[in-house]
Amino acid sequence: MGHLYQSFRGYLSRADGPKKDLSDPTGNTLYAADIYWRPDWAEMVLDLALCNTYRDLAKFEAEGRPPLSLKVDAVTVASNEADPRAAAPASMKFGSKGGEWKPEPEYTVPLAELLPAIDAGKPVTVARKSYLSAKEN
């Protein structure tokens, strides 16, 4: 259904520290003078994003639109609507800023097509991926 905007996620989550610049013969790190590289901030930002995602999921549930699945930053909801924006819970905010969601029509699939796989025990995200892969071929 949507994606949480993650422009800084990869940048902030380098737990092993700044990467070495292989082109630098002196061995200086690429981010040696980077005041914004803070592993403690990275963990806080990622934890806050995760908490806010779970808060959003609780709102969707309270609105009667329980999520079928959550995978990293993508949530799947069931709807009779083919348009992801029309299918979205009322409290879902769209955009490209932190905490906003992006609809992805290319991942919209008829739930009836997924039900046999879901009933067989496949996770929703796996069933959707299998359906979309089969549709491409």
Side-chain angles (χ1 to χ4, degrees):
M1 178 62 216
H3 274 290
L4 183 65
Y5 187 66
Q6 293 189 20
S7 66
F8 298 106
R9 184 173 185 152
Y11 180 77
L12 290 172
S13 65
R14 294 190 311 264
D16 56 345
K19 295 179 180 166
K20 294 204 181 234
D21 185 353
L22 300 177
S23 64
D24 187 348
T26 64
N28 289 332
T29 57
L30 182 61
Y31 301 103
D34 189 349
I35 63 169
Y36 296 108
W37 183 77
R38 293 283 309 266
D40 52 335
W41 291 1
E43 290 300 317
M44 189 274 307
V45 169
L46 294 175
D47 290 345
L48 178 62
L50 182 62
C51 289
N52 287 338
T53 299
Y54 282 119
R55 286 186 193 105
D56 281 348
L57 297 179
K59 285 182 201 171
F60 304 161
E61 172 76 30
E63 293 172 18
R65 304 306 303 270
L68 297 176
S69 70
L70 172 69
K71 186 167 184 178
V72 183
D73 62 354
V75 65
T76 305
V77 295
S79 172
N80 292 328
E81 301 290 336
D83 176 24
R85 287 187 182 266
S91 65
M92 185 177 267
K93 297 175 189 161
F94 293 103
S96 59
K97 296 178 184 168
E100 295 179 340
W101 299 84
K102 178 180 88 174
E104 295 190 320
E106 64 272 18
Y107 294 115
T108 301
V109 299
L111 184 57
E113 299 291 333
L114 301 183
L115 285 178
I118 294 169
D119 288 343
K122 276 191 179 179
V124 174
T125 53
V126 173
R128 183 182 61 220
K129 185 176 180 180
S130 298
Y131 172 82
L132 291 171
S133 295
K135 191 175 174 185
E136 285 180 0
N137 298 333

